Amino acid sequence: GVFDFWFQSGETIFVDKATQSAGPADGSLSNPYTNIDDALLAAGNSATAKIVRIVGNGGVDGDISTLADNDAYLVGLTDSFQPLEDGATFNIPKDVTVMVDEGVIIKLQRANIDVGSNNLQDDRSQGALQILGTTENQVYLTAFGNDAIGGDDDGLSDGANPGDWGGIVFRDDSGLEDQGIFLNSVNNANISYGGGSVFVNSVQQVFSAIHAESARPTIWQNTITFSADSAISADPRSFEDSQFTNGSF
């Protein structure tokens, strides 16, 4: 059969946790941001740069395949409800596509990766997420307390537990599906310890590790383990089969 995959191109804001920039961070390839929240804020406020690219790193030994020493991105809230260094939330802004490169490690606690709008007052429509792992170097989404990869970021704790964070949430106005373009994808990701409850708009909700609400992301070659809830959940509209024969999407 035919396998379609959609790419975005254009002006890009880069994020590299292990950067050693010579100048101030501006999101360029030579002076990338070191925190995800700074890059998302810059992209949301930019009239031209609508791609955020999160880059993996090899840590102390420079080898991206040795995970123990690679620098992880940290998203969510501590036990004392203080924001972690890459932000308390990971909400993709309107019209912004976030690409997550191979080898990236993102540790989360009490947080989702949220794609699309979750309330009427904050329009994040046509935001998209592309997780671009490879068979050799997956993208790792795991708990803040997981010391086995990315080092010990949380200090003394009870380690990683199922449900420490929520999941990747694709909402109905994410991507460009109304134009027949399916940007959202999760490819070669290793997802662990998700499926937890997260406060969204002051309401506590349980999310699956991959959670689709009337959205149709492309999902393939992923590993989902130690989840407190189902690995993947979706409502019936997420399985709509569009034929694209009459011009009406």
Side-chain angles (χ1 to χ4, degrees):
V2 176
F3 183 83
D4 288 332
F5 185 78
W6 297 87
F7 291 90
Q8 283 276 47
S9 63
E11 186 177 341
T12 300
I13 292 172
F14 290 90
V15 192
D16 185 351
K17 179 63 68 176
T19 188
Q20 308 230 340
S21 302
D26 58 11
S28 64
L29 190 57
S30 57
N31 293 301
Y33 290 107
T34 57
N35 293 330
I36 292 173
D37 55 347
D38 291 338
L40 294 179
L41 180 63
N45 291 331
S46 173
T48 55
K50 292 301 181 182
I51 299 172
V52 172
R53 189 140 198 161
I54 302 174
V55 179
N57 62 81
V60 175
D61 62 5
D63 185 350
I64 202 170
S65 65
T66 57
L67 301 174
D69 67 327
N70 296 359
D71 289 333
Y73 298 89
L74 310 176
V75 176
L77 298 168
T78 67
D79 289 339
S80 58
F81 292 92
Q82 297 301 308
L84 297 179
E85 63 183 51
D86 285 275
T89 60
F90 191 146
N91 297 331
I92 297 177
K94 176 179 173 62
D95 298 326
V96 172
T97 297
V98 173
M99 299 178 178
V100 184
D101 282 6
E102 62 173 331
V104 167
I105 300 171
I106 303 177
K107 295 184 180 183
L108 302 103
Q109 182 161 294
R110 300 186 179 91
N112 291 328
I113 298 176
D114 216 315
V115 195
S117 307
N118 59 30
N119 69 73
L120 296 175
Q121 285 71 45
D122 185 10
D123 181 7
R124 298 204 303 271
S125 60
Q126 299 187 350
L129 174 69
Q130 296 188 328
I131 293 182
L132 306 172
T134 66
T135 52
E136 293 81 13
N137 294 300
Q138 294 179 302
V139 170
Y140 291 84
L141 306 174
T142 190
F144 179 49
N146 185 355
D147 299 338
I149 59 175
D152 183 358
D153 295 295
D154 66 332
L156 185 62
S157 73
D158 62 351
N161 298 283
D164 276 353
W165 63 286
I168 308 168
V169 183
F170 295 100
R171 302 187 185 274
D172 61 353
D173 64 349
S174 65
L176 299 170
E177 290 190 19
D178 58 343
Q179 302 174 39
I181 297 171
F182 295 84
L183 286 174
N184 288 320
S185 63
V186 183
N187 165 27
N188 278 293
N190 188 307
I191 305 171
S192 57
Y193 301 105
S197 61
V198 175
F199 280 97
V200 176
N201 300 321
S202 302
V203 178
Q204 192 169 20
Q205 304 174 53
V206 174
F207 295 90
S208 300
I210 298 177
H211 186 99
E213 297 182 355
S214 300
R216 292 178 286 176
T218 305
I219 301 169
W220 81 103
Q221 290 183 261
N222 301 290
T223 303
I224 303 174
T225 56
F226 302 112
S227 184
D229 202 75
S230 55
I232 302 175
S233 66
D235 63 4
R237 289 189 61 191
S238 298
F239 297 94
E240 182 182 357
D241 188 7
S242 299
Q243 300 299 317
F244 302 104
T245 56
N246 61 0
S248 174
F249 298 155

